[in-house]
Amino acid sequence: MKLDPTQLAQFDELGYVFLPNCFSAAEIDAMRNASREIFEQTRPEIWRERDGTPRTAFACHLYHEACNLMATDVRLVEPVEQLFDEPCYLHQFKINAKAAFTGEVWQSHQDFPTWHKDDGMPEARAMNIAVFLDDVLPVNGPLMFIPRSHKSGALEASHDTQTTSYPLWTLDQKTVSELVAKNGIVAPTGEAGGMLMFHANLVHGSSGNITPYPRRIVYLTLSALSNAIVRPTRPEFIAHRDFTPVQATRTNRLAAYAEGRLMAA
Ligand SMILES: O=C(O)CCC(=O)C(=O)O
């Protein structure tokens, strides 16, 4: 699945593009079941909010078949390869839970500074591509983007280990205020099954979820093959060391998996 010229122009100008209805209801159902099974487990790859609620399941593509199929899905891999014009490897795979009532914030940040400082990623030739497993609403902690902020390059950030359980290189209020004054701030919302891709230097974050509606999102971080990390400091389940190019599966194996589960039920 390739981006069309309008989508390419939007990505270039605003730093993100949202594509609705990319995954079917059956595929999303299978991924929601997967996320339930995963978040029931206790393992080092599953990070929790300070109250113990699951926050993020890293690298679950290595131990859950549905996630494994999503990690090579052509709908996710192809548009990123198109933008970088080269094959990609998977730098990170995760499900962010943003649980009903207790899901905490993601502070305002750009992704590349964390990948660069913590993992030794050479350039901003990597990006997050996200699949909504729940309807993302204005009220349940949607991602918020500052459009065009990717054009500012990598901004100065400080290492925040206090605000949440997950350390992140975050931006200060002055920087965020100036960027918002210039470009505004948006929260792309949409139904489960939609897909959102955004530039590694796009400033983003999300607020806590105090609603009864969970907001689960799967993220693939795909990096250009020429941009392999050189100085990883984080565990392998957060910053992968396998630089094999992702072989996108052209047959829809996630749909077949979802149908198989339905027939077995
Ligand atoms: O899921 C979210 O709300 C934010 C995730 C995020 O910003 C990230 O993984 O870099």
Side-chain angles (χ1 to χ4, degrees):
M1 195 180 83
K2 293 211 168 164
L3 300 180
D4 65 27
T6 310
Q7 292 161 339
L8 284 170
Q10 188 197 323
F11 184 87
D12 190 43
E13 176 59 22
L14 301 179
Y16 69 94
V17 62
F18 176 66
L19 307 171
N21 305 317
C22 291
F23 289 82
S24 71
E27 290 173 300
I28 292 303
D29 206 39
M31 284 301 296
R32 282 184 188 156
N33 283 332
S35 96
R36 226 167 279 131
E37 288 161 11
I38 289 163
F39 283 126
E40 271 166 19
Q41 301 179 35
T42 301
R43 43 194 308 155
E45 302 96 311
I46 298 179
W47 287 49
R48 294 180 181 276
E49 311 285 17
R50 285 164 303 187
D51 72 351
T53 312
R55 176 178 175 87
T56 298
F58 288 105
C60 42
H61 67 303
L62 297 179
Y63 62 89
H64 198 293
E65 194 184 351
C67 297
N68 188 269
L69 296 173
M70 188 164 256
T72 55
D73 195 289
V74 72
R75 289 165 284 186
L76 300 169
V77 177
E78 200 168 49
V80 181
E81 287 184 341
Q82 179 191 6
L83 280 165
F84 293 137
D85 198 23
E86 62 171 300
C88 289
Y89 73 91
L90 187 62
H91 174 65
Q92 190 180 89
F93 184 101
K94 64 178 182 261
I95 305 177
N96 281 354
K98 187 78 79 173
F101 294 114
T102 50
E104 292 186 10
V105 306
W106 285 74
Q107 314 92 304
S108 294
H109 67 284
Q110 299 170 301
D111 289 325
F112 176 63
T114 296
W115 300 335
H116 181 64
K117 290 174 204 281
D118 291 353
D119 308 330
M121 185 180 279
E123 289 178 51
R125 285 179 59 74
M127 78 172 71
N128 270 328
I129 180 155
V131 180
F132 294 180
L133 298 191
D134 295 298
D135 292 348
V136 175
L137 310 165
V139 293
N140 63 351
L143 279 163
M144 293 186 284
F145 292 154
I146 303 182
R148 300 181 176 85
S149 53
H150 63 303
K151 294 179 190 259
S152 302
L155 299 160
E156 204 178 308
S158 51
H159 204 219
D160 181 353
T161 56
Q162 302 299 316
T163 308
T164 71
S165 61
Y166 186 66
L168 205 59
W169 289 87
T170 61
L171 299 171
D172 61 28
Q173 293 179 353
K174 181 169 176 285
T175 306
V176 172
S177 304
E178 284 169 6
L179 285 168
V180 171
K182 202 162 131 206
N183 301 298
I185 186 161
V186 296
T189 54
E191 290 177 5
M195 184 175 105
L196 188 57
M197 53 198 299
F198 50 102
H199 192 282
N201 280 330
L202 189 75
V203 176
H204 64 284
S206 61
S207 57
N209 185 5
I210 58 166
T211 74
Y213 309 116
R215 191 235 63 181
R216 288 162 291 187
I217 298 183
V218 179
Y219 292 88
L220 273 67
T221 307
L222 290 162
S223 171
L225 211 55
S226 60
N227 192 40
I229 58 172
V230 292
R231 217 180 37 261
T233 60
R234 303 191 291 176
E236 191 151 357
F237 59 79
I238 296 184
H240 304 172
R241 276 55 149 184
D242 179 355
F243 307 126
T244 314
V246 178
Q247 296 294 337
T249 42
R250 271 159 209 284
T251 49
N252 193 339
R253 290 171 56 217
L254 185 59
Y257 169 92
E259 277 158 30
R261 266 185 79 108
L262 282 180
M263 275 154 59

